[in-house]
Amino acid sequence: VGKQVLNKQRENIARKCVDKYAWISSGVVVITPLPGVELLGTAAVNAQMVIAIAKIYGLEITMTRAKELALSVGRTLTGLGLVQGSVTIIGSAITLNLPGLLVGRAVQSITAAWLTRIAGASFITYFEQNQDWGDGGIQEVVQRQYDLNRRETTLRNFIQKALRRVVEPLEEDHQKQQQLPPRQGLREEEEA
């Protein structure tokens, strides 16, 4: 019984850790304007997340091993078509009256957070199973976590949190930019 309680405590701490890294990934995408560069940033975040989850389970792993695990899960998400599926799910779940650029950034950012949650949940399973993906391998674990996160209640709760953490700040930032007076140099060019 004591071991079950310890395992449940570790899982709860690990899930909070995953949530933290999910929003870090989201922030990386928001502040990275160049396509492709955000992938490097989220991969680095996911590698750090792997190290943090391993520590929760009393394990030490190297950054090299953490990167390998993060890349393996990333390739699996892509190979199973779950990255594109996630963009579609998040995009349709977020119907906003934001300018086109902000909608794209919001969908990308929220999708990064959602995929990080799926990856993190997959890593929790991996570490709970003594660094073993199980009989179905990494694909089965990742697919199961994707399916669990797609459940209506889980997705709705995530989207509500994402609206507060990502969309509202993007809207506020956009509104502030719309209210700023033109810079002096631009005004002089317009008058010339």
Side-chain angles (χ1 to χ4, degrees):
V1 174
K3 190 172 183 174
Q4 289 175 333
V5 170
L6 178 62
N7 288 341
K8 194 63 178 167
Q9 288 173 337
R10 281 183 175 161
E11 182 183 344
N12 288 336
I13 294 167
R15 291 202 181 280
K16 288 178 184 175
C17 175
V18 168
D19 195 50
K20 172 182 128 181
Y21 281 97
W23 298 116
I24 291 170
S25 288
S26 175
V28 166
V29 172
V30 165
I31 63 171
T32 310
L34 301 172
V37 174
E38 77 273 1
L39 295 176
L40 296 173
T42 56
V45 169
N46 284 345
Q48 288 293 325
M49 178 177 65
V50 171
I51 291 170
I53 294 170
K55 283 183 183 176
I56 291 166
Y57 286 90
L59 303 167
E60 293 289 326
I61 64 171
T62 65
M63 178 56 89
T64 300
R65 180 68 181 135
K67 286 179 184 176
E68 289 170 1
L69 285 167
L71 289 172
S72 293
V73 168
R75 281 193 297 269
T76 302
L77 284 163
T78 303
L80 293 173
L82 303 181
V83 172
Q84 189 56 43
S86 298
V87 171
T88 302
I89 289 169
I90 299 299
S92 63
I94 300 175
T95 52
L96 306 169
N97 293 323
L98 286 174
L101 175 65
L102 291 186
V103 170
R105 285 177 62 198
V107 169
Q108 287 177 324
S109 175
I110 293 168
T111 300
W114 199 58
L115 289 170
T116 299
R117 284 175 51 124
I118 292 166
S122 299
F123 295 130
I124 290 171
T125 299
Y126 175 76
F127 289 116
E128 284 178 345
Q129 297 177 167
N130 298 315
Q131 300 181 67
D132 184 4
W133 291 111
D135 293 340
I138 191 172
Q139 292 87 358
E140 184 178 296
V141 171
V142 170
Q143 184 70 56
R144 183 175 57 241
Q145 293 305 326
Y146 179 83
D147 292 342
L148 288 171
N149 277 277
R150 260 186 32 192
R151 289 183 175 170
E152 185 178 343
T153 304
T154 304
L155 182 60
R156 186 175 345 114
N157 290 340
F158 173 76
I159 293 297
Q160 288 172 348
K161 192 180 283 189
L163 291 174
R164 285 190 310 274
R165 288 182 166 249
V166 177
V167 175
E168 288 175 8
L170 281 173
E171 285 178 317
E172 290 170 11
D173 187 52
H174 181 72
Q175 288 172 354
K176 286 178 187 174
Q177 289 179 4
Q178 298 299 317
Q179 295 170 355
L180 293 175
R183 292 192 325 231
Q184 186 65 29
L186 292 176
R187 202 174 309 141
E188 291 170 357
E189 287 176 15
E190 289 173 359
E191 291 173 2

